[in-house]
Amino acid sequence: LGDPLDTVQLLQLSWERRLQLVHGVARLLYHLAHSPLGSLAMNDLRRQQFVLADGVLKLSDVDDMGIAEPFCQTDIDCSHHLLANISNKVAAPCVDGQCRGHNERLNVWRAGQHFVRQLLPLRAPSSLEPQIQLLLEAYSDTSWSSQKILTATELLLQTYSSDHSSGGETRHYRHFPDSGLGTQFDYWCRESESPTACRLSVDSQREAVSLCNQDQQCRAVVVEPFHRLKDKIKVTLKNGFSTPSTQPGSLLLLKPS
């Protein structure tokens, strides 16, 4: 059926891959809100309810599915059903005896807590931070419908694809096989695995180059040999360049000036 979602493995995915998973979450929220049975509530929407099948996020447990909006007589009744942690305290309106839109808001908030807040900000491209922040706020205060969230997520995907269609091309970098820079030009960066260097785990050289292109300090990338963790490649970004030293198995990529 699929592989259970492991938090550590999810966070080790490339940002592009995690964005695709967030897109899958947004699509699910839309389908739950517009099902033939009406707006459905995932009362136990957590990572444990999902699996990854061929790289696609799929719901595997629907035992705790709510098929009706809460009943009400007035809008005040609907306010009693709001989760205390939702920052937007404007309750769903009472329409025809039901709190219209309550289930949708509940799903959005839970998806934000259990998926989006963990997957989206980590190692996100700085150029996309304004869009990402708006999306995170929408998940937190449930001010957007699932339709608006899906549209915004698809726009984020399109923007990323457009900005990075050639941003990760290694062919523009000068290649130095079996070379490195030792500890020269090390600098610390966010999400680094080292306290003194910008050492990262990536899925490919293309991702490493894309990260270097986004970092104004980065001038070169050293792709390390024989250091793989679940198919991850270890790379170190450098903020300068000089005559390379011999480093068997490593690949030094020099950023074009």
Side-chain angles (χ1 to χ4, degrees):
L1 179 62
D3 299 320
L5 297 186
D6 179 83
T7 302
V8 174
Q9 290 181 348
L10 286 175
L11 296 180
Q12 288 177 340
L13 295 173
S14 67
W15 188 82
E16 181 178 11
R17 187 71 191 88
R18 283 183 276 119
L19 175 59
Q20 292 168 352
L21 293 181
V22 168
H23 180 233
V25 171
R27 291 182 61 189
L28 173 65
L29 292 174
Y30 176 81
H31 289 305
L32 288 172
H34 299 86
S35 83
L37 297 176
S39 181
L40 305 178
M42 280 291 297
N43 294 317
D44 193 22
L45 201 160
R46 298 176 294 125
R47 285 188 294 275
Q48 290 83 348
Q49 317 301 115
F50 293 81
V51 295
L52 272 180
D54 297 325
V56 178
L57 194 66
K58 293 190 176 182
L59 186 60
S60 63
D61 187 348
V62 294
D63 289 343
D64 198 11
M65 185 80 73
I67 58 174
E69 305 266 28
F71 294 109
C72 61
Q73 292 182 328
T74 67
D75 290 352
I76 295 177
D77 295 333
C78 296
S79 66
H80 298 320
H81 295 286
L82 274 178
L83 290 177
N85 293 328
I86 295 180
S87 57
N88 182 357
K89 298 305 181 185
V90 179
C94 183
V95 179
D96 297 330
Q98 291 187 324
C99 298
R100 184 70 56 83
H102 172 85
N103 288 350
E104 184 175 24
R105 290 184 64 186
L106 191 67
N107 292 336
V108 166
W109 187 83
R110 286 176 171 157
Q113 293 298 305
H114 293 285
F115 286 98
V116 182
R117 290 173 63 86
Q118 282 74 39
L119 296 178
L120 205 53
L122 183 66
R123 295 197 301 275
S126 58
S127 61
L128 299 179
E129 285 183 359
Q131 286 177 264
I132 293 170
Q133 188 57 40
L134 285 175
L135 198 53
L136 291 175
E137 289 174 1
Y139 273 101
S140 179
D141 64 19
T142 67
S143 57
W144 289 2
S145 67
S146 58
Q147 172 67 75
K148 188 171 182 178
I149 283 177
L150 179 58
T151 300
T153 306
E154 289 176 342
L155 178 60
L156 187 60
L157 264 172
Q158 293 170 9
T159 304
Y160 178 82
S161 298
S162 175
D163 290 350
H164 294 77
S165 58
S166 61
E169 291 288 346
T170 63
R171 60 189 174 89
H172 299 300
Y173 277 58
R174 188 175 176 185
H175 289 54
F176 295 85
D178 295 319
S179 300
L181 294 170
T183 58
Q184 292 186 88
F185 310 113
D186 279 339
Y187 68 100
W188 184 86
C189 63
R190 190 174 62 175
E191 313 303 340
S192 176
E193 299 172 3
S194 165
T196 59
C198 186
R199 190 166 185 261
L200 306 167
S201 296
V202 297
D203 287 326
S204 63
Q205 291 180 22
R206 181 179 181 275
E207 183 185 358
V209 165
S210 180
L211 290 172
C212 186
N213 288 343
Q214 297 168 39
D215 188 341
Q216 293 183 351
Q217 293 189 72
C218 183
R219 292 292 176 267
V221 179
V222 177
V223 182
E224 302 177 15
F226 315 125
H227 291 285
R228 286 179 175 266
L229 176 62
K230 296 180 179 178
D231 296 326
K232 289 290 179 177
I233 300 172
K234 298 290 186 179
V235 300
T236 302
L237 307 190
K238 302 286 188 176
N239 63 7
F241 180 80
S242 65
T243 303
S245 59
T246 300
Q247 200 167 306
S250 291
L251 173 64
L252 175 60
L253 300 171
L254 176 61
K255 190 177 187 178
S257 56

